[in-house]
Amino acid sequence: LETVGAQMDAYHRVAELVEPAVIAEYRRLFPSRDLREKRWAGAIKKRCQEVARYVLPVATHAHLYHTISGLTLHRYWRLCQQFDTPLEQRLVVQRMVEEVCKIDPLFMALARDPLPLEQTLEYQAVEQFHSATRNGAARAFLQEFDADLGPLASKLIDYHVHAAATMAQAVRSMLGLTADRLSDAQAIELVMNPARNPYLAESLTLTTMSKLSRAMVHPHFTFRKKLSHTADSQDQRHRMVPGSRPILACHFISGRPDYMLPPLITASPEAEACYVEIMARTWLAIERLLDHGVSEEFALYLLPNAFPIRFEESGDLLHFHHKWVQRLCYTAQEEIWNTSRQEVQQVEARFPEIGRYLRAPCWVRAGAGAK
């Protein structure tokens, strides 16, 4: 409780300390906006809070509406005891089942009992490889993963070699044309240039329904990524670009603070000092809880939003295009903006005929003539 209180205090303190840096950066990005006007105050405050949020624990309350299909509820129930499903989440799933059964007592009649943790694939793998040496194995993994990433936050590690040619041929197949009638460059332009494909500027994301736009499902990319917990929570909103997220405890090393440091924090020495101090205090508190016999599941509730999530993410160009266009806007969350920028640069280096059309949403709208 003392640590949670300190984290909340640090959140408010950091939000205040980064405000000058936020104002300076906001003025640089949007020079035409008079920041003395009241209407921009909310945008400045939001960005201060977005950066300060890194110090808050994952224990912070979240209030939400959660809409799922009946089939998904059956899946939740069957695997609600697997790793990274905390007690409170298992209780929520149980209540969801109970509420549905009040309306339809037979809905869960054929549902199988939850699979015990010990019988899950992940538990058996962790027991096999981590039973006695978790810290040592985790330390080696983190060093290897970060060394492979180097200066990048997102690294292109796999892709379809003939991505551009395959996509272009898909366009020709749709239109019943040969290569002498429609070259690869012309076919890709027809799909990805907003001046030719105005669907790209539609807010309803019509590209998933358009026959020609769906040619973008053929190129495929895989990235190795490292994001803070708070950025990854936003990254998961792009459900059609799935990732293999880690078992969090397998990446935690006792006594070794591990966190992301946003550029806006480093822009203020006072904010950075406050930030580093609360990170050190948080790890000490987690160690004390573990020493007192508190379960790892409960102790890790103190992990800050800054804790890194290391994982691989794959998807097709159609859905990466939607993500990149939205997240290349300067108003996007900074980490996701940065990883999107790095991803686009790497794709463009290998496939310039595709990469030339991967730009921010204002560029897409301008090309499509949308005001």
Side-chain angles (χ1 to χ4, degrees):
L1 287 173
E2 290 173 1
T3 304
V4 169
Q7 289 171 319
M8 292 300 299
D9 291 341
Y11 165 74
H12 294 293
R13 178 68 175 149
V14 169
E16 293 176 2
L17 292 172
V18 299
E19 187 174 7
V22 169
I23 291 174
E25 181 68 3
Y26 196 84
R27 184 176 285 117
R28 185 183 71 83
L29 295 177
F30 307 105
S32 63
R33 297 180 182 180
D34 186 352
L35 300 189
R36 292 171 297 182
E37 296 181 18
K38 188 176 181 180
R39 57 177 171 160
W40 306 122
I44 297 295
K45 181 179 180 181
K46 179 183 176 183
R47 280 154 182 78
C48 293
Q49 292 173 328
E50 188 174 82
V51 176
R53 190 182 301 138
Y54 280 67
V55 306
L56 290 177
V58 296
T60 308
H61 284 173
H63 304 269
L64 66 152
Y65 289 91
H66 188 49
T67 305
I68 57 171
S69 69
L71 178 61
T72 299
L73 182 60
H74 275 258
R75 290 170 175 156
Y76 279 6
W77 181 244
R78 181 64 172 153
L79 276 179
C80 67
Q81 295 189 28
Q82 70 172 341
F83 273 128
D84 284 355
T85 308
L87 174 62
E88 63 167 329
Q89 195 169 345
R90 298 198 295 273
L91 294 174
V92 168
V93 172
Q94 182 176 338
R95 287 296 305 275
M96 291 166 72
V97 169
E98 292 170 357
E99 291 298 310
V100 169
C101 288
K102 287 179 183 178
I103 300 170
D104 184 354
L106 298 178
F107 189 81
M108 299 295 292
L110 298 179
R112 300 178 65 185
D113 290 338
L115 194 65
L117 173 64
E118 294 77 12
Q119 294 182 23
T120 62
L121 171 65
E122 293 78 10
Y123 177 87
Q124 293 169 5
V126 169
E127 283 297 296
Q128 178 181 355
F129 297 109
H130 282 288
S131 56
T133 58
R134 177 177 296 181
N135 261 17
R139 193 182 303 273
F141 162 76
L142 299 184
Q143 290 174 348
E144 181 181 87
F145 190 99
D146 291 351
D148 182 71
L149 270 184
L152 296 173
S154 184
K155 179 180 179 181
L156 180 62
I157 59 172
D158 196 15
Y159 52 88
H160 289 169
V161 177
H162 304 295
T166 301
M167 177 178 157
Q169 181 55 51
V171 173
R172 288 192 290 268
S173 296
M174 269 184 260
L175 297 175
L177 296 173
T178 55
D180 61 321
R181 293 289 307 279
L182 187 68
S183 68
D184 285 4
Q186 290 172 320
I188 293 171
E189 182 191 18
L190 184 60
V191 172
M192 299 195 67
N193 187 343
R196 302 293 304 278
N197 184 0
Y199 294 158
L200 296 170
E202 287 274 350
S203 59
L204 284 174
T205 317
L206 298 180
T207 49
T208 58
M209 305 289 289
S210 158
K211 284 184 179 292
L212 281 173
S213 302
R214 282 168 67 91
M216 285 193 284
V217 300
H218 301 296
H220 202 269
F221 308 100
T222 297
F223 295 92
R224 179 163 293 140
K225 305 183 69 166
K226 180 181 176 182
L227 289 173
S228 69
H229 190 286
T230 187
D232 182 59
S233 296
Q234 288 201 33
D235 196 59
Q236 290 185 46
R237 293 177 182 175
H238 299 277
R239 295 183 296 277
M240 301 306 292
V241 186
S244 50
R245 265 75 185 183
I247 297 170
L248 213 58
C250 291
H251 287 197
F252 172 78
I253 298 177
S254 181
R256 179 184 181 273
D258 187 15
Y259 53 86
M260 305 293 285
L261 189 60
L264 281 171
I265 297 291
T266 60
S268 167
E270 284 186 279
E272 184 173 359
C274 178
Y275 189 89
V276 171
E277 180 184 351
I278 193 61
M279 293 299 162
R281 176 170 178 174
T282 296
W283 254 260
L284 284 173
I286 293 174
E287 290 173 46
R288 285 183 60 196
L289 289 172
L290 294 173
D291 289 342
H292 283 306
V294 173
S295 71
E296 192 173 54
E297 174 193 322
F298 296 155
L300 294 186
Y301 267 69
L302 285 183
L303 277 178
N305 273 324
F307 187 73
I309 307 297
R310 297 169 172 90
F311 64 104
E312 276 72 34
E313 181 178 80
S314 294
D316 57 53
L317 177 59
L318 179 67
H319 293 98
F320 265 126
H321 180 278
H322 172 71
K323 177 183 179 180
W324 288 332
V325 166
Q326 302 302 318
R327 297 294 188 164
L328 284 174
C329 178
Y330 280 139
T331 60
Q333 201 274 354
E334 191 271 338
E335 269 188 89
I336 302 180
W337 172 86
N338 186 47
T339 56
S340 295
R341 181 179 61 88
Q342 292 180 3
E343 289 160 6
V344 164
Q345 287 174 338
Q346 292 172 79
V347 169
E348 187 169 15
R350 287 166 176 79
F351 305 104
E353 59 273 63
I354 291 176
R356 63 184 297 189
Y357 301 115
L358 300 174
R359 297 292 184 267
C362 50
W363 182 89
V364 175
R365 289 193 297 270
K371 300 294 184 182

